[in-house]
Amino acid sequence: MPRTEELREMIREIDQQIIEQVATRMEITDELARAKKAEGKNYWDDAKEKEVIKRYHELCEEVKMSEDEARKIAEVILSISRDRQKHIVE
């Protein structure tokens, strides 16, 4: 197999793992939303969102990814999480 095909296969495998991990995260997000609803809490906490973004910045910095890349990743994941929680709580 040519080198490019080997690399593409590695990327496909990593993509599979990413999707599986994001799906697991969303399952936990759904459970968190149900717990918030049961406790009468708002589905979204801006302070927690800032903590998550900060954590993404730190994690990305550890692996030599930029702050901009960290922000983009966080925005996508948090947007999905927010939508799912809103749907469950409202």
Side-chain angles (χ1 to χ4, degrees), residues 1-7:
M1 183 171 7
R3 181 80 177 134
T4 55
E5 285 306 310
E6 290 172 6
L7 294 170

Side-chain angles (χ1 to χ4, degrees), residues 44-63:
W44 201 250
D45 181 337
D46 290 330
K48 289 289 181 194
E49 179 178 5
K50 289 177 184 171
E51 287 177 26
V52 171
I53 292 169
K54 182 178 184 234
R55 185 172 66 239
Y56 275 59
H57 286 168
E58 292 167 355
L59 291 169
C60 283
E61 188 175 78
E62 290 174 13
V63 295

Side-chain angles (χ1 to χ4, degrees), residues 25-73:
R25 189 187 194 287
M26 293 307 147
E27 290 171 7
I28 295 167
T29 293
D30 293 351
E31 188 61 31
L32 177 61
R34 286 188 282 277
K36 288 176 182 178
K37 184 176 183 176
E39 295 171 9
K41 294 183 178 179
N42 291 331
Y43 73 92
W44 201 250
D45 181 337
D46 290 330
K48 289 289 181 194
E49 179 178 5
K50 289 177 184 171
E51 287 177 26
V52 171
I53 292 169
K54 182 178 184 234
R55 185 172 66 239
Y56 275 59
H57 286 168
E58 292 167 355
L59 291 169
C60 283
E61 188 175 78
E62 290 174 13
V63 295
K64 309 289 188 238
M65 291 177 70
S66 73
E67 188 172 317
D68 186 56
E69 290 166 326
R71 180 188 51 75
K72 288 176 183 177
I73 293 167

